[in-house]
Amino acid sequence: MEAVLRALADDGRRTLVEALAAGPATAGELAELLPIARPGVSRHLKVLREAGLVDSRQEAQRRVYSLRSEPLAELDEWLGRYRALWEQRLDALHTEIARGKRSDT
């Protein structure tokens, strides 16, 4: 999971992941999304591949990338513990706000 977090720490790589969430894309299509040279995009894709976030396959002269959901599901599961904590706190805040509105009237 640490490799996934490191990979997602970069804004450009998050842009690529968001694009791949819509479906597979070629390296050229993904390169158009970032304001950097293609070698930089290739390095980003390599980091994503090594973190297990994307798969690639060769189609003729093109390389097609697709998003892998497993690492994101693992990250979501880990974040779920913290999400539950915040939901409890937000529910308590909502209750206090509602109490304050009742006492104002």
Side-chain angles (χ1 to χ4, degrees):
M1 183 175 52
E2 191 169 325
V4 171
L5 290 171
R6 281 191 191 141
L8 294 174
D10 182 85
D11 185 49
R13 289 192 288 266
R14 285 193 309 274
T15 298
L16 297 176
V17 167
E18 288 173 16
L20 291 170
T26 65
E29 292 167 337
L30 294 169
E32 293 175 9
L33 301 174
L34 300 178
I36 59 175
R38 280 193 182 223
V41 175
S42 292
R43 284 191 292 276
H44 281 315
L45 289 168
K46 179 180 178 188
V47 170
L48 292 172
R49 221 176 30 253
E50 289 175 350
L53 286 162
V54 299
D55 279 329
S56 66
R57 68 182 187 280
Q58 195 75 34
E59 285 186 3
Q61 281 74 33
R62 302 179 319 160
R63 186 168 292 278
V64 179
Y65 291 85
S66 56
L67 190 61
R68 293 187 67 243
S69 61
E70 296 89 350
L72 295 172
E74 181 183 337
L75 181 59
D76 183 58
E77 183 180 325
W78 181 77
L79 288 171
R81 293 179 276 177
Y82 302 99
R83 191 177 303 113
L85 174 68
W86 278 105
E87 286 172 356
Q88 290 170 359
R89 290 181 180 179
L90 290 173
D91 287 346
L93 177 60
H94 177 71
T95 300
E96 290 301 315
I97 290 170
R99 284 182 186 157
K101 286 182 180 178
R102 282 195 300 260
S103 66
D104 287 345
T105 57

